[in-house]
Amino acid sequence: MNESLIFNILTFDFPKENLTFYFSKEEIGHSQRLHWSLFPNDIDTIFPNIHNDGTEFIYTTFKGEVEGYTPLSINLSTENKALAKRYYDRQINYYFRKVLNQIVKVGFIKENQVWLPLPNLSNNDFDFYDKYSVKVQIAQISNTPEIYISHDAVARVLKRNVAELSQTVSTTFFKTIMFRNKLHKYADVINFEDYNPHHAYPVLNIHLARVLGYEFSLQKNTRVKPNHYTSFLSNVQTFINTYFKTKEFAAMFPLHSTNLLKVNPSKVATTNPVGNQLLFGQKHYNTNQYLGMLKGPYQRPKYTNIHFFFVFHKDSFELVKTLHTYFEKGIGIMPGFLKYTNVAFHTEKKFSVVFVDKNNPIPEIQGILDQRTFNQDVKYFAIYVTPHSKDKTTEQTNEIYYKVKETFLNIDIPTQVIDPVKMSEQGENFRYSLPNIFIAIIAKLKGIPWRLPKQKEDELIVGVGAFKHIDIGVQFLGSAFSFNNNGTFNRFEYFRKDQVDILAGSIGFQIRQYTAANNKLNKLVIHFYKTMSDDELEPILKELKNLEQDIPVFIITINKTLSKELLAFDNSLVGLMPKSGTYISLGDNKFLLFNNTRYSNEPIKKTEAWHFPIKLKIECTQPELLNEEIVVSNLIQQVYEFSKIYWKSVSHQNLPVTIKYPEMVAQMAPYFQDGLIPHFGKDNLWFL
């Protein structure tokens, strides 16, 4: 196996001698509170019966000898790992904050993020900071303590203070504040005795950026994709060389080396390369979605007659004429809709819907639809040319966008949205967007652009995702999407976070439908957006029991936040990104899966994304099955393959549709009437 892989990890030794920590049941002076899960192994020697007397928290000064605190000898190499981690995180904080006088942001579980000023980037609006997470783990990857170093992103701190901004901006948009060169939560800093809003400066967040009219992302959306692997590793190595090669750091953390930790080759495996292939029309196989579609979709929509019509603002008339030409004839080497999809593109004359009011088009659109006669033998499809660019959305324009979708969904007409600003700006380059538009239309019409070349087996895959709605600040559970093992979509149900019981009922409904059509089910695989709790799993198992389904349930937690905390780099390859399908065992049935378009040693195209890996955690209601290597590898293979049936784009995705699709639905549904999706919207992919 590959011996050139390295983690963004350094390892170090525990102290050779015991340390003395100090503890108290009462908070006396400056100390750190410890939950019972962080109690030292021998805490009952100084606080007898503490595990049985209901004590939830104690306090520690760690090595600081303070009156009122009781000493306890600590051997970190055998101590409670959670306590050892907390101690080392504190040491990291002390080193950067006190020894080096740097700004450190402390997270919920005391993890440290170092903010390094970037004076060369500062402008009239912002001060810029480079963010690095420095996190300690105890023997997660190796047999010794480890330091993870990751380069997170660049932060911007407004030069306008809270006193000035609050005159025009609600303070609800202030989350993190820079005050006296330290970072604080806004809710905390306003209670400080010395707090002065004239000296408090908000950190830009996505909500505040929207209100103030700033672009939140600093990355330019270009066809040439930057290689994040090379920049990430370069930044991490510079950080190590600058801050970890000092005598002060060595005294706290006796590093084995300042070279990053090599990945144990025995922990590395690869998915089956067959999983890179997709099946298109004319029984054509290809690893490239764009090229594969030149042979047509795997399955055309089953509707006999399909009629398209445009929905647009009156000022977009000429642009719609151009768009119609693109659909008929294509642009440059990109063919038109018929040639690319093998589906006729027909529009009826005088059937378009033209509205006047950009800010409230729904009444006009609904009025026209109410007067329109629809042929029952025709499947209609609406192409909505929005007057509001997606790059400059507001809550109001978002609502219009989704309400238009809902209006047509209510009469069983799918829609495809076109951004005219994007179309005009791109000019001839709009040909790169057309394949994405065309395949999404095929999928919305219940066709199958491509599928996995697998034989159908008696298993059901259900994906459950979550989405925290930025505009309304509420987390929605998303939906339960049901698929066969070959990637064929069945249907979905949508619900909110407080409706976990409905999740179990939905999965039960999917099972009943499946077994009614297929007689038997051998296993249920759930792709979940987080670790599934017993409370969430129990009603699902109860449902299976009620259905007399004595089958194993595999739960795969898929970290939908792409892994930047833990990465691996391949020093043998130009660009450092490991080949697609490489996965690394992290122990305890946790894995790091690389899912990209690098199928050989050759560099990928400049237009391809340099995807970071995703994290997987696999659990089973019959744990002994996870001892079988073939079972685990097949489950990882399935996650890998399900990322390739994303029908919104011909570009590669590295998250499976079982996680991506639920997020997309949860983003839109809250804008619908009463948050409800029409019944016939449950078995098609209208949201693409």
Side-chain angles (χ1 to χ4, degrees):
M1 300 307 298
N2 196 316
E3 298 190 25
S4 302
L5 293 172
I6 56 173
F7 286 122
N8 55 320
I9 290 175
L10 299 176
T11 57
F12 62 97
D13 282 326
F14 286 113
K16 291 183 172 59
E17 299 177 352
N18 286 9
L19 303 178
T20 300
F21 285 3
Y22 295 85
F23 300 94
S24 170
K25 280 191 170 185
E26 305 294 331
E27 184 177 11
I28 305 171
H30 184 70
S31 62
Q32 196 169 121
R33 190 174 73 164
L34 300 180
H35 183 258
W36 64 262
S37 60
L38 280 78
F39 286 3
N41 294 337
D42 297 331
I43 188 64
D44 55 349
T45 62
I46 59 173
F47 301 134
N49 201 38
I50 192 171
H51 292 294
N52 301 315
D53 65 6
T55 301
E56 186 175 3
F57 297 101
I58 60 173
Y59 299 85
T60 182
T61 57
F62 290 103
K63 295 194 296 181
E65 187 174 358
V66 176
E67 186 176 350
Y69 284 79
T70 304
L72 180 65
S73 181
I74 298 289
N75 181 349
L76 284 177
S77 65
T78 58
E79 187 50 80
N80 179 350
K81 288 183 178 181
L83 176 64
K85 169 179 165 48
R86 179 63 60 87
Y87 166 70
Y88 282 123
D89 281 337
R90 180 181 180 275
Q91 293 293 86
I92 290 286
N93 183 282
Y94 178 85
Y95 173 72
F96 280 100
R97 190 170 51 84
K98 291 293 188 181
V99 177
L100 300 183
N101 197 31
Q102 298 290 348
I103 298 169
V104 181
K105 182 181 179 183
V106 181
F108 179 69
I109 55 172
K110 304 300 181 183
E111 69 276 19
N112 295 290
Q113 189 181 66
V114 182
W115 287 40
L116 304 175
L118 296 169
N120 293 338
L121 293 182
S122 292
N123 55 35
N124 292 333
D125 295 324
F126 302 106
D127 285 320
F128 288 72
Y129 293 85
D130 220 1
K131 298 188 295 186
Y132 290 83
S133 286
V134 185
K135 180 180 176 181
V136 175
Q137 294 284 2
I138 308 300
Q140 291 281 313
I141 303 297
S142 64
N143 296 319
T144 61
E146 304 147 0
I147 304 176
Y148 295 65
I149 309 99
S150 67
H151 179 237
D152 296 343
V154 172
R156 285 173 286 174
V157 178
L158 285 152
K159 287 191 172 180
R160 284 184 285 171
N161 59 48
V162 168
E164 178 185 351
L165 285 167
S166 60
Q167 295 178 18
T168 55
V169 176
S170 168
T171 57
T172 59
F173 294 110
F174 302 154
K175 305 301 179 185
T176 303
I177 299 294
M178 183 78 75
F179 178 64
R180 302 199 188 283
N181 217 33
K182 292 182 180 179
L183 293 164
H184 306 277
K185 291 180 180 179
Y186 178 71
D188 295 336
V189 74
I190 59 174
N191 294 316
F192 293 177
E193 286 186 10
D194 62 343
Y195 172 67
N196 185 335
H198 291 89
H199 298 150
Y201 302 89
V203 176
L204 190 71
N205 57 60
I206 192 167
H207 309 277
L208 195 53
R210 281 188 178 184
V211 172
L212 296 175
Y214 292 113
E215 292 288 341
F216 181 67
S217 175
L218 292 172
Q219 294 183 356
K220 301 296 182 182
N221 188 16
T222 62
R223 290 200 69 244
V224 177
K225 307 299 182 185
N227 184 345
H228 299 298
Y229 280 83
T230 52
S231 58
F232 186 101
L233 184 59
S234 174
N235 285 322
V236 166
Q237 289 178 326
T238 298
F239 186 87
I240 291 169
N241 291 334
T242 304
Y243 300 108
F244 286 3
K245 292 184 176 181
T246 67
K247 61 181 181 180
E248 292 89 352
F249 189 82
M252 296 179 179
F253 299 91
L255 297 175
H256 296 143
S257 170
T258 52
N259 295 323
L260 295 174
L261 178 67
K262 289 184 177 181
V263 177
N264 185 337
S266 68
K267 302 292 185 181
V268 183
T270 59
T271 57
N272 190 327
V274 172
N276 298 325
Q277 295 286 340
L278 297 167
L279 182 57
F280 297 85
Q282 304 178 46
K283 297 182 179 180
H284 174 70
Y285 293 85
N286 208 308
T287 61
N288 184 291
Q289 288 93 325
Y290 170 76
L291 296 176
M293 275 296 297
L294 292 173
K295 297 292 185 180
Y298 170 76
Q299 181 177 297
R300 294 194 300 273
K302 294 181 180 179
Y303 301 107
T304 304
N305 305 301
I306 301 172
H307 289 187
F308 294 85
F309 64 96
F310 292 90
V311 182
F312 59 94
H313 184 262
K314 64 181 182 63
D315 293 345
S316 298
F317 183 77
E318 291 300 321
L319 186 140
V320 169
K321 286 172 60 178
T322 302
L323 185 60
H324 188 276
T325 302
Y326 289 166
F327 268 75
E328 281 195 329
K329 300 179 181 179
I331 315 174
I333 62 171
M334 175 62 202
F337 185 78
L338 169 61
K339 194 170 182 181
Y340 193 66
T341 67
N342 205 17
V343 175
F345 178 73
H346 173 78
T347 56
E348 287 189 38
K349 291 182 179 179
K350 298 182 180 180
F351 209 83
S352 291
V353 175
V354 184
F355 56 87
V356 177
D357 190 343
K358 289 183 180 181
N359 297 317
N360 187 24
I362 304 301
E364 289 182 74
I365 293 173
Q366 188 65 63
I368 294 171
L369 293 177
D370 290 343
Q371 300 299 317
R372 184 69 44 87
T373 300
F374 293 97
N375 188 335
Q376 296 301 309
D377 295 326
V378 170
K379 181 64 179 178
Y380 292 93
F381 193 100
I383 300 172
Y384 171 50
V385 181
T386 173
H388 304 285
S389 175
K390 291 181 182 179
D391 292 334
K392 297 179 180 178
T393 57
T394 64
E395 187 171 353
Q396 180 189 9
T397 58
N398 260 339
E399 186 170 359
I400 294 170
Y401 167 76
Y402 297 128
K403 285 294 184 183
V404 169
K405 274 191 170 293
E406 181 185 16
T407 299
F408 284 98
L409 191 59
N410 282 331
I411 53 175
D412 201 12
I413 295 179
T415 55
Q416 178 64 40
V417 179
I418 306 290
D419 185 343
V421 174
K422 181 178 179 181
M423 181 177 160
S424 299
E425 289 176 350
Q426 290 184 344
E428 288 290 310
N429 283 338
F430 190 65
R431 67 182 184 272
Y432 297 117
S433 296
L434 279 183
N436 302 334
I437 294 169
F438 290 173
I439 63 166
I441 290 174
I442 292 298
K444 291 172 183 179
L445 288 167
K446 298 188 180 181
I448 301 176
W450 57 81
R451 75 163 177 84
L452 303 173
K454 299 173 73 74
Q455 294 296 318
K456 189 169 176 291
E457 297 177 5
D458 294 320
E459 63 177 293
L460 191 63
I461 298 93
V462 177
V464 181
F467 175 80
K468 186 167 185 180
H469 212 284
I470 292 174
D471 294 324
I472 58 180
V474 176
Q475 182 162 355
F476 289 83
L477 187 61
S479 41
F481 270 73
S482 167
F483 298 85
N484 297 329
N485 71 295
N486 62 6
T488 305
F489 166 66
N490 295 324
R491 63 176 283 119
F492 73 88
E493 292 289 339
Y494 162 78
F495 20 71
R496 295 183 294 273
K497 192 180 181 185
D498 58 355
Q499 297 176 312
V500 177
D501 56 328
I502 299 179
L503 168 63
S506 171
I507 292 176
F509 177 75
Q510 310 279 15
I511 293 169
R512 281 192 294 273
Q513 277 203 320
Y514 185 93
T515 52
N518 301 277
N519 296 322
K520 65 176 182 176
L521 183 64
N522 289 332
K523 67 179 176 182
L524 172 65
V525 181
I526 301 175
H527 291 178
F528 213 55
Y529 73 101
K530 66 176 183 65
T531 300
M532 184 173 276
S533 68
D534 291 340
D535 289 342
E536 290 161 331
L537 180 59
E538 184 179 355
I540 296 172
L541 297 180
K542 184 178 179 180
E543 193 74 26
L544 286 169
K545 186 176 181 180
N546 292 339
L547 295 170
E548 298 182 349
Q549 294 288 331
D550 185 18
I551 58 173
V553 180
F554 294 91
I555 302 111
I556 306 178
T557 303
I558 300 174
N559 190 335
K560 65 187 182 70
T561 303
L562 303 184
S563 177
K564 288 180 67 175
E565 173 189 299
L566 177 61
L567 289 180
F569 307 84
D570 193 333
N571 275 325
S572 71
L573 296 175
V574 175
L576 301 174
M577 183 170 69
K579 290 181 191 175
S580 189
T582 300
Y583 61 93
I584 303 171
S585 172
L586 306 177
D588 297 326
N589 286 309
K590 297 178 183 177
F591 301 88
L592 201 62
L593 171 62
F594 292 84
N595 188 357
N596 51 65
T597 56
R598 187 165 206 166
Y599 303 132
S600 70
N601 291 343
E602 297 300 316
I604 65 173
K605 294 179 181 178
K606 292 182 179 180
T607 53
E608 297 284 0
W610 296 80
H611 287 298
F612 280 143
I614 57 176
K615 280 184 179 177
L616 309 178
K617 178 183 178 182
I618 303 177
E619 299 170 286
C620 184
T621 54
Q622 299 176 22
E624 66 277 4
L625 292 178
L626 298 181
N627 295 327
E628 300 178 28
E629 186 176 337
I630 187 66
V631 171
V632 172
S633 63
N634 284 342
L635 291 168
I636 295 173
Q637 180 86 20
Q638 192 173 76
V639 172
Y640 181 73
E641 292 174 347
F642 265 60
S643 70
K644 300 180 182 297
I645 50 174
Y646 181 71
W647 295 331
K648 187 179 172 66
S649 170
V650 293
S651 298
H652 178 84
Q653 309 296 313
N654 70 337
L655 278 171
V657 293
T658 42
I659 297 298
K660 290 185 74 74
Y661 283 178
E663 279 192 16
M664 295 166 70
V665 170
Q667 184 176 11
M668 297 182 185
Y671 288 103
F672 286 17
Q673 183 69 37
D674 299 324
L676 299 176
I677 296 170
H679 181 71
F680 46 71
K682 304 289 184 68
D683 64 353
N684 62 79
L685 302 174
W686 55 268
F687 52 84
L688 292 176

